[in-house]
Amino acid sequence: MEKSYDHQKIIDSIFDPITSQILSELEGGEKNISDISNQTEISENDIQDRLSYLVETGFVKQTKDGESISYSANGEKLSKVIEDEQNFDGAIDGLTKMDSYLN
């Protein structure tokens, strides 16, 4: 059964500059939270806070092995929400904002 979610909240989260930086670290696959923190210089607590809704809704998977926490992105689900017709213009605006932030 598909979990329901607030579409706009997902879009806002994905295109938030800090969260998008975290998600970009997950492009290559599952990564340990300490590695993400070291690469991005974002605290582990902030990473957990920023990914919490994405984990809750299945856009990001959280794996716990003892005290170790790892994350992986559901690329297919993330792509689908971005490609949604109703929010296509919003996604383009978000990409433009993210691009201007990165440059």
Side-chain angles (χ1 to χ4, degrees), residues 2-19:
E2 188 75 16
K3 295 180 182 178
S4 65
Y5 56 87
D6 179 334
H7 191 80
Q8 190 58 48
K9 188 172 180 179
I10 294 295
I11 293 294
D12 291 346
S13 182
I14 291 169
F15 291 110
D16 171 80
I18 295 171
T19 306

Side-chain angles (χ1 to χ4, degrees), residues 1-67:
M1 185 172 143
E2 188 75 16
K3 295 180 182 178
S4 65
Y5 56 87
D6 179 334
H7 191 80
Q8 190 58 48
K9 188 172 180 179
I10 294 295
I11 293 294
D12 291 346
S13 182
I14 291 169
F15 291 110
D16 171 80
I18 295 171
T19 306
S20 66
Q21 183 182 8
I22 296 166
L23 290 172
S24 72
E25 290 296 317
L26 302 177
E27 285 180 12
E30 185 174 35
K31 228 176 198 183
N32 186 282
I33 192 170
S34 61
D35 293 335
I36 298 168
S37 181
N38 290 334
Q39 288 293 109
T40 61
E41 298 183 0
I42 301 169
S43 75
E44 292 184 16
N45 286 335
D46 199 16
I47 291 169
Q48 288 179 312
D49 290 343
R50 289 179 176 278
L51 294 181
S52 65
Y53 189 68
L54 295 173
V55 168
E56 179 184 323
T57 54
F59 287 87
V60 173
K61 180 182 176 189
Q62 181 185 59
T63 307
K64 293 182 181 182
D65 184 14
E67 292 184 22

